[in-house]
């Protein structure tokens, strides 16, 4: 059981729109919500679940709105919060920005969406692609005889319509890995993880069944192939189209895909990653009148690979002025409003080492206290490369008409939260 009623409130707690799904919680109960929220905020005991008498308020804040679900039952709270975030996602797909103005401008569509998203307290169709097939931006309503409910709603495969046709059948697979890294001032790695996603762009006719093969360690061990060149995936999450029972049984990733773009799966690797771009920095202050910063960057990945769009953000003292730069490659620019020097290198091959020197003047009257230095952060993207070594071994596409389809695979490694402390 999820929610009895759903309310969308402005920042003052005034209801903009509401939908009572079960009728067991009076609409007037919402008047208690804002008072509870402000009281708990003052006491420092604010929680995502507030209670007044027998009524529970489960709420989230988005932009200048509160989305509040009410219930009297001891329901599944995590399901309600998942639903509230899904409502935000669907409304953002429809209105680009979800805020008070977009609710006021689209009352008709919002009511129609609330009716389709939940029925008698149970979540129903929450996929915006499917909803957009029969609830349009113009707010057209279904009329008997003139429109029909799309097959996606009554289909066993609710995320894909029947009758899709393409002249050229193709699947594009993107394996994207983000590296999160935190290095201490003495060079030791404090935090290191890889967060990966596999995204698909599907242009396939009919109702194809796809099977994706990865160099998954558990699968390799099940089939007696040992651990060579295999990857141990953690925290794997799948799109709803994947047959989870099949994956649990034999690690096969089998699915009928949605049409177009979607994220098939995500995973995490909590392994020690060698920093792909290593940074060393030296900051010298001279007689309170100038400061010199030397930054050395080294590509610690294989020589055949190239990092693109590298941006190294180096913090500088807040009172620095008169910048002068010298770089062995790329260009540097000063952003005084952010107290940063941004060193940009368009193309950075593995194994290469580059230098940047920055010279700043300092006012003659200088603050005595030492400013805490924020870390240096790095942005980059390395195509045709994965840190984990994950590989798409095969993509089988089976469709009853027997057409031939081409799968294309692309690997990208990029920076996530990538920081190196300097002090």
């Amino acid at each position: 059981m999820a929610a009895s009623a759903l309310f969308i409130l402005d920042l003052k707690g005034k209801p903009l729109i509401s939908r009572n799904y079960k009728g067991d919680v009076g609409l007037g109960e919402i008047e208690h919500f804002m008072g509870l929220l402000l009281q708990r905020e003052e006491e420092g005991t604010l929680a995502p679940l507030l209670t007044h008498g027998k009524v529970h308020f489960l709420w989230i804040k988005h932009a200048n709105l509160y989305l509040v679900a009410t219930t009297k039952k001891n329901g599944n709270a995590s399901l309600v919060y998942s639903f509230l975030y899904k409502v935000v996602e669907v409304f953002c797909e429809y209105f680009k920005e979800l805020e008070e103005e977009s609710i006021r401008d689209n009352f008709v569509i919002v009511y129609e969406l609330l009716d389709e998203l939940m029925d008698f307290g149970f979540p129903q169709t929450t996929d915006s692609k499917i909803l957009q097939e029969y609830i349009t931006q113009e707010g057209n309503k279904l009329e008997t005889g003139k429109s029909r409910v799309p097959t996606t709603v009554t289909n066993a495969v609710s995320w894909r319509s029947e009758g899709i046709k393409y002249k050229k059948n193709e699947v594009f697979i993107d394996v994207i890995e983000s590296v999160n890294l935190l290095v201490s001032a003495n060079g030791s790695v404090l935090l290191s993880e890889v967060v990966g996603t596999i995204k698909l762009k599907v242009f396939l006719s009919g109702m194809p069944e796809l099977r994706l093969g990865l160099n998954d360690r558990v699968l390799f061990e099940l089939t007696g192939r040992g651990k060579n060149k295999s990857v141990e995936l953690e925290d794997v999450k799948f799109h709803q189209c994947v047959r989870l029972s099949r994956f649990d049984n034999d690690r096969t990733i089998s699915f009928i895909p949605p049409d177009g773009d979607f994220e098939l799966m995500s995973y995490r690797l909590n392994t020690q990653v060698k920093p792909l771009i290593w940074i060393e920095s030296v900051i010298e202050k001279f007689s309170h009148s100038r400061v010199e910063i030397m930054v050395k960057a080294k590509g610690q990945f294989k020589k055949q690979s190239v990092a693109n769009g590298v941006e190294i953000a180096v913090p500088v003292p807040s009172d620095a002025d008169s910048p002068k730069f010298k770089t062995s490659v790329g260009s540097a620019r000063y952003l005084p409003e952010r107290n940063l020097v941004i060193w940009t290198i368009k193309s950075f091959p593995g194994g290469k080492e580059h230098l940047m020197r920055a010279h700043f003047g300092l006012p003659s009257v200088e603050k005595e206290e030492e400013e805490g230095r924020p870390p240096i952060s790095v942005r980059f993207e390395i195509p045709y490369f994965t840190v984990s070594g994950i590989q798409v071994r095969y993509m089988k596409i089976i469709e009853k008409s027997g057409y031939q389809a081409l799968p294309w695979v692309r690997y990208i490694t990029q920076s996530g939260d990538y920081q190196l402390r300097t002090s």
Side-chain angles (χ1 to χ4, degrees):
M1 186 64 65
S4 296
L6 180 66
F7 297 84
I8 300 176
L9 316 177
D10 65 15
L11 286 178
K12 291 177 181 174
K14 183 185 172 187
L16 300 172
I17 204 162
S18 63
R19 182 69 176 85
N20 199 342
Y21 293 105
K22 297 188 66 193
D24 62 338
V25 176
L27 291 176
E29 289 286 346
I30 196 64
E31 291 172 14
H32 302 293
F33 170 73
M34 209 62 198
L36 281 169
L37 187 85
L38 295 171
Q39 182 191 336
R40 296 288 289 273
E41 212 167 22
E42 278 177 25
E43 294 170 356
T45 58
L46 192 58
L49 190 149
L50 304 171
T51 303
H52 178 264
K54 292 183 178 179
V55 178
H56 305 294
F57 301 100
L58 297 92
W59 64 279
I60 63 170
K61 188 181 178 189
H62 180 85
N64 56 356
L65 299 171
Y66 290 103
L67 282 83
V68 186
T70 59
T71 181
K72 277 187 175 178
K73 297 275 193 286
N74 184 15
N76 183 338
S78 61
L79 175 64
V80 178
Y81 288 116
S82 294
F83 177 74
L84 290 175
Y85 283 109
K86 197 71 191 175
V87 169
V88 170
E89 190 182 309
V90 168
F91 286 175
C92 286
E93 288 275 336
Y94 267 82
F95 314 131
K96 301 294 178 258
E97 295 288 335
L98 174 58
E99 53 193 16
E100 186 179 332
E101 197 176 334
S102 53
I103 296 291
R104 289 189 186 280
D105 291 347
N106 296 280
F107 273 130
V108 174
I109 300 173
V110 171
Y111 269 122
E112 288 187 6
L113 287 170
L114 291 178
D115 278 345
E116 295 300 328
L117 285 160
M118 184 172 274
D119 186 28
F120 198 67
F122 294 94
Q124 297 296 309
T125 308
T126 58
D127 190 310
S128 59
K129 281 186 182 175
I130 295 160
L131 288 163
Q132 281 168 9
E133 287 187 33
Y134 60 106
I135 297 179
T136 65
Q137 291 294 114
E138 292 76 37
N140 294 339
K141 292 186 179 179
L142 295 172
E143 291 177 40
T144 314
K146 290 185 183 176
S147 292
R148 62 180 184 84
V149 175
T151 51
T152 44
V153 178
T154 53
N155 229 352
V157 182
S158 64
W159 53 86
R160 185 179 180 89
S161 298
E162 289 180 356
I164 295 170
K165 286 184 182 173
Y166 286 101
K167 283 184 180 177
K168 192 176 183 183
N169 291 289
E170 296 178 300
V171 180
F172 296 89
I173 306 164
D174 276 351
V175 181
I176 303 163
E177 291 192 339
S178 296
V179 181
N180 296 331
L181 187 83
L182 180 60
V183 178
S184 72
N186 64 11
S188 58
V189 176
L190 302 174
L191 179 146
S192 159
E193 68 171 5
V194 177
V195 178
T197 56
I198 297 181
K199 295 183 178 180
L200 268 62
K201 195 176 275 192
V202 176
F203 303 109
L204 295 174
S205 307
M207 276 286 179
E209 170 146 346
L210 274 57
R211 284 179 202 154
L212 179 72
L214 303 171
N215 56 335
D216 172 18
R217 183 160 299 172
V218 178
L219 173 66
F220 274 37
E221 286 171 359
L222 281 172
T223 52
R225 269 179 276 193
K227 293 183 180 180
N228 281 353
K229 291 190 177 177
S230 64
V231 176
E232 190 170 348
L233 305 176
E234 300 172 44
D235 292 346
V236 179
K237 294 183 182 74
F238 288 111
H239 186 275
Q240 69 186 91
C241 67
V242 175
R243 296 186 177 95
L244 294 179
S245 56
R246 185 87 193 267
F247 182 75
D248 290 340
N249 284 341
D250 58 13
R251 303 294 280 193
T252 299
I253 301 170
S254 169
F255 57 100
I256 294 170
D259 189 42
D261 296 340
F262 73 103
E263 186 177 296
L264 177 70
M265 64 180 282
S266 63
Y267 58 89
R268 189 176 59 83
L269 293 158
N270 204 359
T271 52
Q272 198 75 359
V273 178
K274 184 181 181 183
L276 297 172
I277 293 180
W278 182 253
I279 304 289
E280 288 175 26
S281 68
V282 177
I283 299 177
E284 283 187 88
K285 285 188 179 182
F286 296 90
S287 64
H288 303 317
S289 61
R290 62 190 173 94
V291 62
E292 285 189 5
I293 301 170
M294 191 275 288
V295 178
K296 182 163 71 174
K298 185 178 181 184
Q300 297 193 139
F301 47 94
K302 57 186 182 182
K303 290 178 183 176
Q304 306 95 297
S305 296
V306 176
N308 295 330
V310 178
E311 280 191 1
I312 300 163
V314 185
V316 298
S318 56
D319 54 348
D321 60 21
S322 314
K324 290 176 190 168
F325 304 112
K326 193 175 181 183
T327 58
S328 61
V329 71
S331 62
R333 68 187 192 278
Y334 177 41
L335 303 181
E337 69 281 4
R338 291 171 57 197
N339 301 320
L340 285 178
V341 170
I342 305 287
W343 178 17
T344 305
I345 304 167
K346 282 184 182 175
S347 181
F348 195 145
K352 293 286 182 186
E353 204 170 277
H354 298 300
L355 280 174
M356 187 269 292
R357 291 182 186 276
H359 177 282
F360 289 91
L362 290 174
S364 52
V365 179
E366 193 198 7
K367 294 178 217 155
E368 282 304 311
E369 70 272 11
E370 180 67 29
E371 292 181 7
R373 280 190 217 143
I376 291 173
S377 59
V378 188
R379 286 177 59 192
F380 59 85
E381 192 171 274
I382 308 173
Y384 320 112
F385 175 81
T386 60
V387 187
S388 66
I390 194 169
Q391 287 178 341
V392 174
R393 291 174 45 246
Y394 62 83
M395 168 66 90
K396 289 180 183 169
I397 302 164
I398 304 149
E399 215 279 330
K400 62 184 178 186
S401 63
Y403 61 70
Q404 292 298 305
L406 292 169
W408 305 91
V409 185
R410 182 172 63 164
Y411 298 95
I412 302 166
T413 290
Q414 59 190 23
S415 54
D417 188 6
Y418 194 104
Q419 298 189 336
L420 300 98
R421 289 179 181 167
T422 55
S423 62

